[in-house]
Amino acid sequence: MLNKALREIPDELLINRRAFQGTPNQENDKIISFIREAILKCGLKDGMTISFHHHFRDGDYVVNMVVEEIAKLGIKDITICASSLGDAHDPIGKYIENGTITGIQTSGVRGKIGEAISTGKLKKTAIIRSHGGRVRAIEEGEVHIDVAFIGAPTSDPYGNARGIGGKSDCGVLSYSMVDAKYADKVVIITDCLVDYPNFPPSIQAVDVDYVVVVDEIGDPKKIVSNIIRLTSDPRELMMADYCTRIMVNSPFFKDGFSFQTGGGGAALAVNLLLRPYLEKAGIIMSFALGGITKPMCDLLDDGFVKCVVNAQAFDAGSIESIKNNPNHFEISTSQYANPRNNGALVNKLDFVILGALEVDVNFNVNVVTGSDGILRGAPGGHPDTASGSKCSIIVAPLVRSRIPTICDRVVTVTTPGEVVDVIVTDYGIAINPLRKDLIEALKDSKLPIYTIEELRDMAYEMCGKPEQLEFEDKVVAILESRDGSILDVIRKPKLYEI
């Protein structure tokens, strides 16, 4: 037969192939006017799965804008697969109740959404994964995303999107990189359209179907939450000193060590307290990982760390650093923590300092459910970094609001005790008996070292032993381990009625 170029193509070659029928036209401009139009063009239907990132944290507007339009279109039975959900997304509670949203899969949940899940209002059982567990589930096909909606501080008309620039600067778009690669359809939502090419892109135009320009995608001032702060509290500074001395006296404190810290006051203070030890020993860290804040960027600027690798910018200082310091790099969450790839950075960590809502005598840590059994937290990278690091340090006050932090049995196991190495409280520290190397290294450190049971007894002596929560049989959420196995389940507390 003759093809469109008027060339004779033998029929026997066309059994499994097509003859050329002309060059297809390709769209150079993906701009559409409204979120509703994007939803319709993507073919979103009842029962599908949509995804979001949480780099704007409490300042995010994108989730609420998109779900509101989905509800107005009458689309039902939608599952949200988000990197995290928080108080900013409280309006989603009403869409859970009316059946627009029937499934939640996330690495964190707080506020009205957490209450709706805990009280049994969500039709499907929620699934909570760590950051590494989420990206693993998407890459392995366990989770299929039909449409990814990605809020981007800047984008060009072709869909090259970045986490920096514009009026809603969030630094990086690490969480959404896997969504862009694996979702059937990808919509960039931005409030700052820039000229092509917007390079180097966090999200590449090759993965993007549509770009929607709106007035505002978020409030960058609310990226910083009240848990991400430096501290002047003497109790937190004392715990920070304990953490620092544990690190310095361990066998891993040597030139080229690596480090990640959480956002709590005591954990952040370690960045400052480490400095004189680094100076005295002439030590330079190989890399710092995270969740990045300004104190770590200051160490980078002053030559105490060779490079910072960033999966989430926690404050304005870290956002400015990634713009200006050539040794501050954006990474994907797959590079960060996927337990199934061949190069997750968490596996190269020497130290990580993390927080906890409660810890039990088996060193299990809960960062997800409150003392009332309601979902109000996030595993985030907690299980990933504890598992990958050589020394995981959990820092928390012994008692919080007259509730013991160290207890017989945590409400929910977020991070299993087998990967938790040291517990630091304001009344002393406990070393996991499995870590005989750390016990030996710290025996002459003059730190107040106790058994975990002794710390529990101190807490109970102050507050009394708390009554066990009572739960119904109804499982409202599954907490997955990093590999996808079920680590724990969360049941509906008896106190709450639907």
Side-chain angles (χ1 to χ4, degrees):
M1 67 170 289
L2 288 178
N3 67 12
K4 188 71 178 291
L6 303 180
R7 309 302 292 185
E8 183 74 33
I9 308 298
D11 290 343
E12 61 266 25
L13 297 181
L14 299 176
I15 296 173
N16 295 312
R17 304 186 70 176
R18 294 179 295 110
F20 173 68
Q21 296 298 318
T23 303
N25 292 324
Q26 290 188 327
E27 293 282 344
N28 286 320
D29 190 341
K30 302 174 183 178
I31 297 291
I32 54 179
S33 301
F34 304 103
I35 291 174
R36 173 178 289 213
E37 185 182 359
I39 294 168
L40 293 171
K41 281 182 173 290
C42 288
L44 189 70
K45 295 181 175 59
D46 291 0
M48 286 187 169
T49 297
I50 60 177
S51 72
F52 303 96
H53 70 75
H54 76 290
H55 286 291
F56 299 118
R57 299 175 66 82
D58 288 340
D60 179 63
Y61 298 160
V62 172
V63 174
N64 296 338
M65 288 192 296
V66 171
V67 175
E68 181 180 359
E69 291 301 323
I70 290 171
K72 287 178 180 177
L73 288 167
I75 301 171
K76 299 280 189 179
D77 192 23
I78 293 296
T79 293
I80 292 177
C81 178
S83 57
S84 197
L85 296 164
D87 293 337
H89 309 123
D90 278 354
I92 301 303
K94 64 185 177 185
Y95 299 118
I96 290 174
E97 295 195 23
N98 72 12
T100 301
I101 305 300
T102 57
I104 298 287
Q105 300 186 23
T106 180
S107 296
V109 61
R110 298 174 176 85
K112 298 295 183 184
I113 299 177
E115 292 174 7
I117 294 171
S118 297
T119 54
K121 294 178 181 177
L122 188 70
K123 182 178 178 180
K124 300 172 185 174
T125 304
I127 300 176
I128 300 172
R129 301 181 177 95
S130 70
H131 290 324
R134 178 181 187 268
V135 74
R136 174 206 55 77
I138 294 170
E139 290 185 1
E140 291 186 342
E142 184 180 315
V143 174
H144 177 81
I145 298 170
D146 294 291
V147 186
F149 296 93
I150 300 173
T154 59
S155 176
D156 63 33
Y158 212 24
N160 293 299
R162 302 184 72 192
I164 61 174
K167 60 184 179 182
S168 302
D169 202 334
C170 65
V172 298
L173 292 176
S174 304
Y175 293 123
S176 56
M177 291 178 183
V178 66
D179 304 50
K181 287 291 182 186
Y182 287 85
D184 288 348
K185 297 290 183 179
V186 176
V187 180
I188 297 294
I189 301 175
T190 187
D191 54 15
C192 183
L193 194 67
V194 298
D195 292 338
Y196 178 89
N198 187 28
F199 270 33
S202 303
I203 306 300
Q204 299 177 26
V206 296
D207 297 316
V208 175
D209 297 283
Y210 303 108
V211 177
V212 182
V213 183
V214 298
D215 292 335
E216 291 181 303
I217 57 172
D219 181 355
K221 297 185 189 69
K222 292 185 179 179
I223 289 174
V224 182
S225 73
N226 61 4
I227 64 168
I228 301 168
R229 56 182 171 74
L230 285 172
T231 184
S232 57
D233 184 324
R235 182 175 67 167
E236 290 189 330
L237 289 174
M238 180 175 62
M239 290 190 288
D241 177 62
Y242 289 165
C243 291
T244 306
R245 289 162 60 191
I246 290 166
M247 292 175 63
V248 169
N249 285 280
S250 79
F252 315 116
F253 186 75
K254 54 189 175 184
D255 197 46
F257 79 86
S258 56
F259 181 41
Q260 177 172 334
T261 183
L268 284 181
V270 174
N271 292 289
L272 304 178
L273 296 178
L274 263 179
R275 184 180 290 251
Y277 291 102
L278 297 172
E279 288 179 331
K280 183 177 179 181
I283 284 175
I284 298 175
M285 286 184 264
S286 58
F287 71 92
L289 185 59
I292 300 298
T293 55
K294 187 177 185 300
M296 185 56 75
C297 297
D298 291 340
L299 290 176
L300 174 67
D301 291 340
D302 294 340
F304 292 106
V305 56
K306 291 180 180 177
C307 71
V308 166
V309 281
N310 191 335
Q312 184 173 193
F314 274 144
D315 58 19
S318 60
I319 293 171
E320 288 304 308
S321 175
I322 200 166
K323 289 181 188 177
N324 300 316
N325 195 312
N327 293 315
H328 190 157
F329 303 102
E330 179 181 25
I331 57 169
S332 72
T333 44
S334 188
Q335 290 172 288
Y336 174 54
N338 185 344
R340 292 280 174 78
N341 69 22
N342 294 324
L345 279 153
V346 295
N347 297 330
K348 302 298 287 183
L349 271 175
D350 288 303
F351 300 101
V352 64
I353 299 178
L354 301 162
L357 293 175
E358 56 178 0
V359 182
D360 68 25
V361 292
N362 294 313
F363 286 80
N364 297 311
V365 177
N366 171 27
V367 293
V368 170
T369 43
S371 58
D372 55 1
I374 299 294
L375 280 163
R376 56 178 85 255
H382 200 291
D384 302 308
T385 52
S387 176
S389 64
K390 292 177 182 173
C391 181
S392 61
I393 303 170
I394 311 298
V395 57
L398 188 68
V399 171
R400 186 186 283 115
S401 301
R402 300 296 300 168
I403 297 171
T405 301
I406 313 298
C407 60
D408 288 322
R409 180 181 170 87
V410 293
V411 176
T412 305
V413 177
T414 308
T415 301
E418 65 186 16
V419 298
V420 173
D421 299 317
V422 185
I423 307 299
V424 173
T425 76
D426 45 339
Y427 282 79
I429 75 172
I431 305 169
N432 192 322
L434 295 174
R435 293 304 304 267
K436 299 188 185 305
D437 57 334
L438 291 176
I439 293 171
E440 178 65 23
L442 296 172
K443 68 180 182 181
D444 298 322
S445 64
K446 299 183 180 178
L447 286 163
I449 298 174
Y450 299 90
T451 66
I452 192 71
E453 290 83 5
E454 287 172 328
L455 289 181
R456 174 206 58 194
D457 293 344
M458 290 182 202
Y460 284 2
E461 187 175 347
M462 293 179 200
C463 304
K465 184 175 180 178
E467 292 185 10
Q468 285 291 108
L469 289 173
E470 294 187 10
F471 293 92
E472 297 182 7
D473 290 336
K474 181 181 177 63
V475 173
V476 296
I478 292 169
L479 193 74
E480 283 191 2
S481 180
R482 302 175 68 216
D483 63 359
S485 59
I486 297 175
L487 178 63
D488 206 345
V489 297
I490 299 167
R491 292 182 169 84
K492 179 187 174 188
K494 280 191 174 179
L495 176 64
Y496 295 89
E497 298 298 332
I498 297 176

